[in-house]
Amino acid sequence: MALYPFILVKEKHNLSNQQLINHELIHFKQQIELLILPFYFFYIIHYFINLLYYRQHQKAYFQIIFEQEAYKYDKDLNYLKRRRFLAFLYL
């Protein structure tokens, strides 16, 4: 979990998982672009709207726009070097 400026992991071995770290770094970039606190506000609002629509936690979570970008590009370790400003809006 990315809580700027910290990445929280359940297990220490996850710190060496480059895909996971890249996923969380994408969230850092999103958080910085939205000045941190508004990111959390929009994240939670988007989750609850999705939950009302899909009525399923997992589907609601994966449909959050911030998660869509992070999951789409977490395998691409060079993504952050070429990422557009507010890229989550262009998916």
Side-chain angles (χ1 to χ4, degrees):
M1 175 183 282
L3 294 173
Y4 190 84
F6 305 104
I7 294 177
L8 308 175
V9 294
K10 287 183 182 179
E11 300 170 6
K12 192 173 184 176
H13 75 273
N14 285 329
L15 292 173
S16 63
N17 181 334
Q18 290 184 326
Q19 182 178 343
L20 174 69
I21 299 302
N22 195 47
H23 181 99
E24 301 308 333
L25 291 175
I26 292 168
H27 286 314
F28 275 1
K29 191 70 169 173
Q30 296 166 340
Q31 291 168 16
I32 291 167
E33 288 172 342
L34 292 177
L35 305 175
I36 301 170
L37 288 179
F39 168 85
Y40 297 115
F41 173 78
F42 290 123
Y43 189 101
I44 290 167
I45 293 299
H46 202 202
Y47 171 75
F48 282 116
I49 289 170
N50 289 342
L51 193 58
L52 287 171
Y53 184 77
Y54 296 109
R55 302 206 180 273
Q56 189 181 106
H57 160 73
Q58 191 169 354
K59 182 77 171 172
Y61 166 76
F62 283 111
Q63 292 301 313
I64 297 170
I65 57 173
F66 305 113
E67 293 299 341
Q68 288 183 351
E69 178 190 11
Y71 278 108
K72 183 174 183 177
Y73 295 106
D74 61 8
K75 291 179 185 83
D76 182 352
L77 301 181
N78 294 310
Y79 174 66
L80 287 172
K81 294 177 185 172
R82 67 177 191 285
R83 182 183 178 272
R84 294 171 58 183
F85 181 71
L86 299 176
F88 55 86
L89 295 175
Y90 305 105
L91 296 178

